[in-house]
């Protein structure tokens, strides 16, 4: 492997930072929208703040992913009848029946977000200004981002970098720092502070209102779209203020100037020296004057405990700061201070002092906190408990602190309050949660509960009651078994001032990190006969993820494999449609339609073959009724669908159409001679594509002309018309579709300027009065062969939106709105890229926006998401044009001038190479409900599901059946919301989507909760079992733990006098569980558990194949390596255990589904010196890493005998890999060693090693043809590739491994897996068939792969990558080249060759405008087609799952 590509296949999901602020809209925008809850009734006793006020955005970051969400609140009461049947998660609370997170925008940055803060504007201008996001990146980069409505995304407003030669003095000679930059912001938004390089404080001065960098503030002022900005920055060197070790800092509330409090430690101490040196921390409060650049000390506090680590600014009106320590909480302000001891380890400064104690014991090291109200803080501890800290105050003086236990929840990495009714628990170790909270005063809670009981008609129980008895098992399904027992109120105190809180979980974001280990096994519904790429979807990854009670097994599959209900042979299929039939007997069709539209069963399945059409009934069984119905069955059908509220079926074939009522034809139409004068020309023209939107049917003929069938709802008949627009203009149309903007408030009406008048327009468009008013509007979307896109309203066909050359743009804006002068100059000859298919759809959801899909003739798929933007120039532009001609202004009045589209990246989709036939098969099928999901299915040679969750597209390929020619949904008695598809081999399959899998993730995932921490998993292929190391924390008496730590020989001399009887200590108890996947969807069964001894940790579990020297045959055994943890006074030792796995089966076939325990029997166990940290089988022998040596053992059926050893790892082996007779070994600090085993002479030889110091995390061999390379990942988030070349002079006669490549991944890679790459088009003829790629998992929940490339492809992609560094505008101004540099963290490192290309950057190529793509390809001497084909081959070759 000389060259490789790095490809991120599953972006990180472990959330590290979260914050909330008004990013996409300002707080003033909210007031009219959200009704308060019956204010007249509850004013008396409910706190007046409890109406859900403005809800800010939620911003989260996971490694290098940044996502902005908006919280959508469904309030009770204003729901329509259809939606009220849904039971929202968390029940009803405070007038809210549900809340969900909806994605606004997401970005993959070229750098990991270290810390994040929201720069807000103080409430000076009535909430008309928006907040900005401040991100900090490694070393000392700071970027401020603001939301730009015109592009519906984030835009960088300022960048501040304190790296490079001119800032070297800030480091003072140091190379490595304990943490990255830390950013905090003044609550009134006057300035921010960033702590870099340990002791350098950068002050960011915020621009005052109306004095920003941008000149056109006044123009923006009317719209209120201006965000907070940073004006300038300067540096305070904290060393000059005599500070040594800064732990945290924060800005206080309630001062005229910004006041920063710094927590610092003067002299460092540690737990072993606490009896001599304690209370070493101190607070210093500095008043920051940004104009004078002065920072006088205004107050300070000394003698804080050495384990203080976090500051929390108390909101106004109280003010002051909370200092959180491991065993105490302190409150300090300029005038007062108080303290609360949390457990027995809290020590007062002098023994005379008495400390108030909390009512229970808790340790607060590693807690996160946020404010629920101005005097209640919520703390989340390291065990996932939520604690409420109340400040009991009088005026501005805090009298005391009260701590009370609330409920248990997920282990958090960050926590933020979102508005006044929600908080978000961001988690690195489990799923993150959005929780709604509400509180009342102690006594009044009851009466408000009673009043609510009167008001709440819909619910089945009064709110307060339902929260108390809400069954936690229901929620456990929803949160994958995370303990979201966040219900009920906190115990109420006798005091009336005590607040009682209730919580309800509203939404959760899936996290599959940290991936400690994974194994590659067969799926349950695998197909043994599959070949090629379809064979890949037989496999799945079973990953150890999470920690403690959030520990889980994540079963990841890159491709969807539907569960087959039945299949039949059906050759020659061209298309399929299912239609409903509603008998006209139901008197009121509209009311029944609303109630059960989703659950109505399909009536007929229409299958179009080469030369005929089949019709099947979709009752209990699919029975063919082709002979007995009036459908057109003599030829193939082009399309079929329902009209007139499902009362009629329309069937369109090549030369005509039929309208049917059930099985009987009510109207027959034919197209052709009658429409035009010359009969000869029209003979050749047949229907090419059809789009149906009740009551219209749009037809595109093969000669590029357009016809429209207009339905009359009163008579249920249709008539043919040719829209005058298309009759006069002879621009040939390449693709067209109808878009039905449904609902009582059609979305597109908001896009025309006169939003308040638009209802009138809508009625005029509908025409016939008897159609129900909430039918919405219908539009026709057309693409011409010139590449222009136009949207018309139907049936008037006046143009409402048009874009020139759509295929190249990332933002589609109506041409009237664009300044066209610049565009005219450069007309680039784009290589005839026609749009061959269009689809536009808005899926259900209160705030959903339409998506527009276009397929180009070269197989590229463009996806656009609509949004609204009211520009300022709308008014002026229209006025000036209105003077020229009256006609123009009247046209522009109805235009959708506020409509814009933003391009959505689909880089996970591998496009298909289109066959160059002029016959184009329709590929997009929109589905509203398949297994409860909505989206569209793309058939063809790379079938793919596009599912819509939270207004975001999730792209999941389906590889298992190869190419798919037809697809449709089916809902009947036997197939509940399922699907039918026909493969190109002529198999018709009726399937359902697997229900246990969650699709709202980058890959479909199923989480199996373990209630413990998984450490390592392996796959036992013969029996389809997964042995897994799990540790569960157990509370034990402290005296019991201490006595077991003593060396047994020395006797028991331990003083028990200072250990009280009730002290407990948490010990991890280890076991190996053997899990078996049940039939798909069911929970996995534990077939056996192997417990470890007291204080024994299982470190590794592997399935090994050993050669039994007695019986002369191979045995497959389960090997476990362990270590005893007995403290530093006892010599380390460990055990190696071998187990055989059998199954006691019965020959009785009736008992097939009975529960059979797997027979696990221990065949051998032996205690060795040192921890057994890694095991591997090597040519029938067992290789054991035991402490500082590795030993090779032979197996004779009863015991292991050592045959060879080598004292190689100096410290501790973290990973061990074998290929043939080669061994690769990674040490925890001393990098990698490469050994070989010689059978004759029984020798283990060290071939070479890496002489650098490297903290290894994972190692693996990489095989490319006949080349062997060694891959290693390290603690600094890098990967390196080494090779063994004894003939090269720089390898010191072969002692030293040489570097072949190095790359900074940005995440800690914890496991590599070697998988054979799939052959693609250009590798079939070459010798590179024995190619392997490495799939890797990381600790922040991302998956990726390293795939070898041949030199020609590598050179092409590398020169493209260099171009893209400048061609793409990178979010937050980050440089992809510097991000991918090897990080040595201060250690000596000789830079290696740059021979890995970064697909994270290359995937931006397809998102560039078409002209730019062609231009860049031309500059590097290749073609766009060639580049896309290389990228496509790479994603095809690595579609492993």
């Amino acid at each position: 492997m000389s060259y490789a590509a790095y490809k991120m296949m599953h972006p990180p999901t472990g959330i590290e930072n979260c914050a909330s602020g008004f990013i996409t809209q300002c707080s003033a925008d909210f007031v009219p929208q959200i009704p308060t809850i019956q204010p007249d009734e509850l004013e008396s006793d409910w706190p007046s703040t409890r109406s859900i006020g403005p809800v800010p955005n939620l911003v989260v970051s996971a490694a290098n992913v940044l996502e902005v969400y908006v919280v959508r609140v469904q309030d009770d009461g204003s729901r329509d009848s259809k939606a009220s049947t849904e039971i929202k998660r968390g029940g009803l609370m405070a007038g809210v029946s549900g809340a969900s997170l909806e994605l606004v925008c997401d970005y993959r940055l070229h750098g990991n977000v270290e810390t994040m803060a929201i720069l807000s504007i103080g409430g000076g201008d009535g909430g008309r200004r928006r907040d900005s996001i401040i991100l900090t990146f490694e070393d000392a980069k700071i970027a401020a981002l603001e939301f730009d409505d015109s592009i519906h995304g984030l835009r960088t407003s300022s960048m501040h970098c304190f790296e490079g030669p001119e800032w070297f003095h800030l480091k003072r000679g140091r190379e490595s720092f304990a943490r990255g930059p830390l950013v905090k912001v003044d609550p009134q938004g006057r300035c921010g502070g960033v702590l870099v390089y340990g002791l350098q404080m950068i002050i960011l001065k915020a621009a005052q209102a109306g004095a920003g960098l941008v000149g056109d503030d006044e123009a923006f002022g009317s719209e209120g779209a201006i965000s907070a900005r940073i004006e300038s920055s300067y540096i305070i060197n904290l060393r000059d203020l005599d500070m040594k070790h800064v732990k945290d800092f924060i800005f206080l509330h309630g001062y005229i100037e910004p006041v920063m409090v710094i927590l610092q430690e003067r002299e460092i101490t540690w737990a072993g020296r606490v009896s001599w040196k304690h209370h070493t921390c101190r607070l210093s409060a500095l008043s920051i004057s940004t104009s004078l650049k002065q920072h006088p000390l205004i107050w300070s506090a000394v003698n804080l405990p050495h384990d203080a680590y976090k500051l929390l600014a108390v909101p106004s009106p109280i003010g002051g700061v909370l200092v959180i320590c491991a065993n105490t909480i302190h409150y300090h302000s300029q005038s007062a201070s108080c303290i609360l001891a949390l457990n027995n380890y809290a020590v007062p400064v002098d023994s005379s002092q008495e400390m108030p104690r909390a009512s229970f014991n808790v340790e607060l090291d590693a807690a996160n906190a946020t404010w629920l109200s101005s005097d209640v803080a919520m703390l989340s501890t390291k065990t996932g408990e939520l604690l409420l800290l109340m400040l009991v105050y009088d005026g501005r003086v805090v009298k005391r602190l009260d701590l009370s236990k609330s409920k248990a929840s997920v282990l958090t990495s960050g926590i933020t309050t979102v508005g006044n009714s929600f908080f978000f628990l961001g988690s690195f170790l489990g799923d993150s949660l959005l929780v709604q909270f509400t509180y009342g005063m102690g006594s009044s809670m009851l009466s408000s509960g009673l009043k609510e009981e009167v008001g709440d008609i819909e619910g089945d129980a009064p709110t307060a009651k339902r929260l108390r008895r809400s069954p936690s098992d229901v929620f456990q399904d929803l949160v994958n078994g995370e303990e979201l027992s966040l219900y009920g109120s906190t115990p109420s105190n006798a005091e009336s001032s005590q607040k009682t809180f209730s919580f309800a979980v509203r939404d959760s974001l899936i996290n599959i990190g940290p991936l400690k280990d994974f194994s590659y096994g067969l799926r349950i519904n695998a197909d043994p006969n599959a070949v090629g790429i379809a064979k890949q979807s037989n496999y799945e990854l079973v990953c150890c993820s999470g920690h403690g009670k959030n520990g889980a097994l994540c079963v990841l599959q890159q491709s969807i494999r539907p569960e087959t209900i039945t299949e039949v042979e059906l050759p020659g299929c061209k298309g399929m449609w299912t239609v409903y039939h509603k008998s006209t007997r139901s008197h009121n069709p509209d009311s029944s339609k609303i109630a059960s539209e989703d659950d109505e069963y399909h009536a007929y399945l229409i299958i179009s073959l080469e030369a005929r059409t089949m019709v099947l009934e979709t009752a209990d069984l699919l029975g063919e009724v082709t002979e007995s119905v009036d459908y057109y069955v003599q030829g193939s059908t082009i399309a079929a669908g329902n009209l007139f509220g499902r009362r009629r079926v329309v069937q369109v074939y090549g030369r005509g159409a039929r309208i049917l009522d059930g099985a009987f034809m009510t109207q027959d139409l034919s197209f052709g001679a009658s429409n035009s004068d010359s009969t000869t020309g029209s003979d050749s023209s047949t229907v090419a594509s059809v789009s149906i939107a009740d009551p219209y049917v749009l037809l595109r003929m093969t000669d590029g002309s357009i016809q429209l069938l207009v339905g009359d709802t009163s008579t249920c008949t249709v008539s043919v018309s040719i829209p005058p627009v298309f009759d006069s203009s002879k621009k040939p149309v390449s693709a067209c579709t109808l878009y039905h903007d449904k609902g009582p408030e059609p979305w597109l009406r908001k896009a025309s300027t006169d939003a308040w008048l638009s209802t009138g327009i809508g009625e005029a468009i509908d025409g016939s009065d008897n159609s129900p008013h909430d039918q919405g509007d219908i539009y026709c979307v057309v693409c011409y062969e010139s590449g222009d896109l136009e949207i018309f309203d139907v049936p008037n066909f006046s143009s409402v939106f048009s874009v020139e050359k759509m295929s190249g743009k990332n933002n589609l804006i109506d041409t009237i709105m664009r300044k066209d002068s610049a565009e005219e100059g450069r007309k680039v000859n784009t290589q005839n890229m026609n749009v061959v298919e269009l689809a536009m759809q808005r899926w259900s959801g209160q705030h959903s926006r339409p998506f527009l899909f276009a397929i180009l003739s070269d197989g590229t798929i463009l996806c656009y998401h609509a949004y609204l933007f009211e520009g300022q120039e709308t008014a002026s532009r229209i006025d000036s044009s209105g003077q020229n001609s009256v006609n123009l202004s009247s046209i522009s009045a109805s235009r959708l001038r506020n409509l814009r589209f933003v391009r959505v990246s689909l880089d996970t989709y591998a496009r298909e190479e289109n066959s160059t036939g002029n016959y184009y098969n329709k590929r997009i099928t929109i589905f509203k409900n398949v297994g409860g999901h909505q989206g569209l299915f793309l058939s063809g040679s790379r079938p793919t599901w596009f599912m819509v969750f939270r207004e975001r597209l999730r792209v999941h390929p389906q590889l298992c059946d190869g190419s798919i020619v037809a697809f449709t949904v089916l809902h009947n008695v036997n197939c509940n919301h399922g699907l039918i598809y026909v493969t190109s081999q002529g198999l018709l399959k009726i399937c359902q989507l697997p229900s246990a899998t969650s699709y709202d993730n980058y890959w479909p995932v199923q989480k199996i909760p373990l209630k413990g921490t998984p450490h390592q998993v392996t796959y036992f292929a013969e029996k389809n079992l997964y042995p897994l190391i799990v540790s569960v924390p157990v509370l034990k008496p402290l005296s019991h733990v201490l006595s077991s730590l003593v060396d047994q020989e020395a006797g028991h001399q331990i003083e028990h006098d200072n250990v009280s009887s009730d002290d407990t200590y948490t010990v991890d108890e280890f076991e190996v569980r053997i899990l078996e996947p049940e039939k798909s969807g069911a929970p996995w069964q534990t077939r056996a558990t192997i417990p470890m001894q007291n204080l024994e940790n299982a470190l590794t579990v592997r399935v090994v194949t050993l050669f039994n020297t007695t019986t002369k045959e191979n045995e497959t055994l389960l090997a476990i390596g362990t270590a005893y943890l007995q403290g530093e006074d006892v010599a380390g030792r460990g055990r190696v255990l071998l187990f055989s796995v059998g199954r006691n089966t019965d020959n009785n076939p009736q008992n097939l589904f009975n529960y059979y325990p797997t027979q696990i029997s221990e065949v051998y166990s032996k205690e060795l010196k040192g921890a057994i940290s890694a095991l591997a089988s090597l040519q029938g022998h067992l290789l054991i890493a035991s402490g500082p040596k590795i030993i090779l053992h032979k197996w004779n059926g009863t015991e292991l005998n050592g045959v060879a050893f080598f004292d190689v790892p100096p410290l501790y082996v973290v990973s061990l890999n074998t290929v043939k007779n080669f061994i690769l070994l990674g040490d925890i600090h001393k990098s990698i060693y490469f050994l070989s085993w010689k059978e004759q002479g029984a020798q283990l030889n060290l071939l070479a090693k890496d002489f650098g110091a490297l903290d290894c995390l994972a190692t693996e061999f990489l095989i490319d043809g006949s080349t062997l390379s060694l891959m290693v990942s390290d603690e600094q988030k890098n990967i390196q590739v080494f090779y063994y070349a004894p003939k090269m002079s720089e390898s010191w006669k072969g002692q030293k491994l040489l570097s072949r490549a190095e790359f900074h991944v940005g995440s800690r890679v914890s496991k590599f897996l070697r998988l054979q790459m799939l052959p693609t088009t250009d590798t079939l003829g070459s010798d590179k068939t024995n190619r392997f790629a490495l799939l890797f998992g990381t600790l922040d929940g991302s998956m990726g792969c390293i795939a070898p490339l041949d030199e020609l492809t590598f050179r092409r992609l590398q020169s493209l990558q260099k171009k893209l560094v400048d061609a793409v505008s990178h979010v937050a101004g980050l440089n992809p080249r510097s991000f991918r540099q090897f990080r040595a963290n201060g250690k000596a490192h000789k830079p290696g060759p740059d021979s890995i290309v970064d697909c994270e950057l290359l995937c931006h190529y397809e998102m560039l405008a078409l002209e730019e793509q062609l231009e860049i390809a031309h500059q590097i001497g290749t073609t766009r087609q060639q580049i896309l084909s290389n990228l496509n081959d790479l994603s095809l070759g690595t579609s492993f799952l």
Side-chain angles (χ1 to χ4, degrees), residues 1175-1412:
L1175 300 160
S1177 54
L1178 177 72
Q1179 295 183 337
H1181 299 60
L1182 182 63
L1183 187 63
I1184 297 176
S1186 143
K1189 64 171 63 174
I1190 58 169
I1191 312 167
L1192 193 67
H1193 291 81
K1194 204 180 276 186
W1195 171 246
N1196 64 7
T1198 52
E1199 58 176 350
L1200 289 172
N1201 297 313
V1203 283
F1205 75 96
F1206 199 90
D1207 285 341
V1208 66
L1211 299 165
Y1212 179 89
V1213 177
V1214 287
S1215 79
L1216 194 59
N1217 313 96
T1218 58
V1219 158
K1220 293 185 176 170
N1221 62 331
F1222 295 112
I1223 303 165
L1224 170 62
L1225 178 147
D1227 184 82
I1228 194 163
H1229 283 311
K1230 300 290 184 185
S1231 198
I1232 58 172
Y1233 294 79
F1234 184 44
L1235 299 95
S1236 75
W1237 152 247
K1238 288 205 179 72
E1239 189 79 54
Q1240 67 276 23
Q1243 280 180 324
L1244 281 173
N1245 294 331
L1246 177 67
L1247 296 176
K1249 65 174 187 172
D1250 172 27
F1251 281 79
L1254 197 68
D1255 300 353
C1256 292
L1257 291 178
T1259 58
E1260 185 55 273
F1261 287 104
L1262 182 54
I1263 298 170
D1264 179 20
S1266 55
T1267 331
L1268 185 72
S1269 311
L1270 318 175
M1271 173 75 77
V1272 57
S1273 71
D1274 64 46
E1275 180 69 22
Q1276 296 302 321
K1277 307 180 181 180
N1278 308 304
I1279 53 173
Q1280 276 173 284
V1281 184
F1282 290 98
Y1283 66 111
Y1284 174 58
K1287 298 199 171 71
M1288 307 269 284
S1289 58
E1290 59 262 42
S1291 73
W1292 303 347
K1293 294 185 181 166
Q1295 296 177 56
K1296 184 179 181 197
L1297 290 171
L1298 301 178
S1299 172
R1300 187 166 265 164
E1302 58 184 26
F1303 192 80
H1304 183 72
V1305 177
S1307 317
R1308 294 191 175 89
V1309 175
S1310 54
K1311 162 89 178 201
F1312 289 108
L1313 174 71
R1314 189 173 63 247
L1315 295 172
Q1316 184 148 11
M1317 285 183 74
L1318 306 167
T1320 50
T1321 42
D1322 52 340
T1323 56
L1324 290 173
S1326 71
D1327 55 340
K1328 292 284 188 185
T1329 47
N1330 187 28
R1331 272 214 153 156
F1332 288 82
L1334 291 183
L1335 186 70
F1336 61 79
T1338 72
L1339 292 184
D1340 47 31
S1342 55
M1343 312 270 318
C1345 73
I1346 303 286
L1349 294 175
D1350 49 276
E1351 181 166 5
L1352 186 66
T1353 312
F1354 171 76
R1355 296 281 177 227
R1356 183 181 298 127
L1357 293 180
Q1358 191 185 36
S1359 44
L1360 171 65
Q1361 177 177 305
K1362 287 175 178 162
K1363 285 278 176 213
L1364 289 179
V1365 171
D1366 299 329
V1368 178
S1369 60
H1370 304 292
V1371 185
L1374 293 162
N1375 185 342
R1377 281 188 59 195
S1378 74
F1379 180 43
R1380 298 307 182 186
Q1381 294 288 324
F1382 186 91
R1383 306 280 158 95
N1385 198 27
K1387 294 178 180 162
H1389 174 77
K1390 180 177 171 236
D1394 174 24
S1395 49
I1396 296 185
V1397 289
D1398 177 16
C1399 290
E1400 284 288 272
L1401 178 55
L1402 295 177
C1403 71
H1404 285 283
Y1405 177 70
E1406 211 169 347
M1407 290 294 290
L1408 291 172
L1410 192 59
E1411 292 97 69
E1412 292 179 51

Side-chain angles (χ1 to χ4, degrees), residues 68 305 372 553 654 711 861 1068 1098 1344 1367:
V68 181
L372 296 188
L553 271 189
I861 296 188
D1068 279 336

Side-chain angles (χ1 to χ4, degrees), residues 138-141 161-164 167-172 174-182 194-202 235 237 239 244:
E138 261 291 284
D139 281 5
K141 297 185 196 69
C161 181
F162 296 89
E163 297 172 14
W167 299 104
F168 271 163
H169 64 277
L170 297 181
K171 292 189 179 186
R172 312 224 359 155
R174 281 184 63 184
E175 282 294 330
S176 69
F177 295 90
R179 64 169 170 211
L182 175 67
V194 185
L195 183 68
V196 298
Y197 302 133
L199 284 171
Q200 305 291 338
M201 178 69 71
I202 299 164
I235 298 180
N237 184 352
R239 237 184 228 89
K244 293 229 176 71

Side-chain angles (χ1 to χ4, degrees), residues 1322 1353 1356-1357 1425-1434:
D1322 52 340
T1353 312
R1356 183 181 298 127
L1357 293 180
Q1425 200 59 37
Q1426 180 69 60
I1427 291 171
L1428 293 180
S1429 155
N1430 284 151
L1431 293 174
N1432 209 30
D1433 282 345
L1434 187 63

Side-chain angles (χ1 to χ4, degrees), residues 132-442:
S132 296
I133 307 171
I134 301 183
L135 304 176
T136 64
F137 300 92
E138 261 291 284
D139 281 5
K141 297 185 196 69
I142 305 154
L145 303 175
E146 62 184 48
F147 188 76
D148 183 356
D149 288 310
S150 60
I151 58 169
H152 199 75
L154 295 177
R155 192 178 59 188
T156 312
S157 65
S158 64
M159 304 184 323
H160 313 264
C161 181
F162 296 89
E163 297 172 14
E166 65 271 37
W167 299 104
F168 271 163
H169 64 277
L170 297 181
K171 292 189 179 186
R172 312 224 359 155
R174 281 184 63 184
E175 282 294 330
S176 69
F177 295 90
R179 64 169 170 211
L182 175 67
V183 57
K184 296 284 170 76
V185 171
D186 175 46
Q188 273 122 4
R190 294 164 296 194
C191 69
V194 185
L195 183 68
V196 298
Y197 302 133
L199 284 171
Q200 305 291 338
M201 178 69 71
I202 299 164
I203 301 291
L204 306 171
K205 181 183 178 185
Q208 295 307 309
L213 301 168
V214 184
D216 54 6
D217 272 359
E218 282 66 39
F220 264 113
S222 58
E223 315 215 341
I226 179 162
S227 305
R229 299 231 170 104
I230 295 172
E231 187 183 89
S232 59
S233 65
Y234 66 95
I235 298 180
I236 302 176
N237 184 352
L238 298 181
R239 237 184 228 89
D240 303 345
L241 305 178
D242 199 25
M243 298 193 187
K244 293 229 176 71
H245 307 280
V246 174
K247 294 183 149 195
D248 196 14
F249 72 98
I250 199 134
F251 287 92
L252 294 191
H253 290 260
Y255 281 86
I256 297 170
E257 291 237 296
V259 170
M260 174 196 286
V261 174
I262 298 178
L263 173 67
Q264 46 143 337
E265 192 167 13
R266 294 302 294 270
E267 302 175 16
I268 284 190
T269 182
W270 65 290
R273 282 190 58 81
V274 166
S275 49
W276 293 276
K277 191 186 282 186
H278 50 85
H279 291 84
T280 52
C281 290
R282 59 187 302 158
L283 290 181
S284 311
L286 311 176
S287 172
I288 308 287
S289 165
T290 48
S291 49
L292 300 172
K293 298 193 181 179
Q294 289 179 349
H295 36 270
L297 180 74
I298 51 175
W299 57 268
S300 61
V302 293
N303 287 344
L304 286 160
H306 75 284
D307 50 19
Y309 64 97
K310 198 192 236 353
L311 297 177
L312 210 56
V314 182
S316 304
I318 309 171
V321 64
L322 283 176
V323 187
I324 300 175
C325 317
N327 310 310
T328 49
I329 299 178
H330 302 250
Y331 169 81
H332 281 280
S333 70
Q334 206 157 348
S335 51
S337 68
C338 59
I339 182 171
L340 180 70
L342 305 173
N343 53 38
N344 302 335
Y345 302 112
V347 198
V349 183
D350 49 2
S351 49
S352 62
Q353 197 180 3
E354 184 58 44
M355 289 200 292
R357 293 195 171 274
S359 54
F360 54 94
N361 278 357
V362 64
E363 292 172 17
L364 268 196
D365 49 332
N368 288 298
T370 186
W371 291 94
L372 296 188
S373 71
S374 61
D375 58 344
V376 181
M378 186 169 72
L379 304 163
S380 155
T381 70
K382 59 181 176 184
T383 57
E385 281 184 293
L386 296 179
L387 309 176
L388 293 173
L389 180 70
M390 319 241 176
L391 277 64
V392 182
Y393 63 101
D394 180 14
R396 285 189 65 171
V397 179
V398 174
K399 299 283 192 213
R400 66 166 200 276
L401 307 173
D402 270 352
L403 192 66
S404 60
K405 274 193 180 182
S406 184
K407 297 299 178 182
S409 172
V410 62
L411 305 176
T412 59
S413 60
I415 176 171
T416 179
T417 312
V418 185
N420 64 1
S421 305
F422 296 94
F423 59 84
F424 178 77
L425 302 167
S427 175
F428 190 75
L429 304 170
D431 292 355
S432 303
L433 303 168
L434 177 73
V435 184
Q436 184 190 355
F437 67 91
T438 168
Y439 59 83
M441 307 317 254

Side-chain angles (χ1 to χ4, degrees), residues 994-1016:
S995 56
T997 310
S998 170
Y999 299 99
D1000 183 16
N1001 188 33
Y1002 300 101
W1003 289 0
V1005 59
Q1006 179 189 355
K1007 274 190 131 177
I1008 296 140
L1010 295 171
K1011 299 278 184 254
T1013 308
H1015 296 275
Q1016 214 176 51

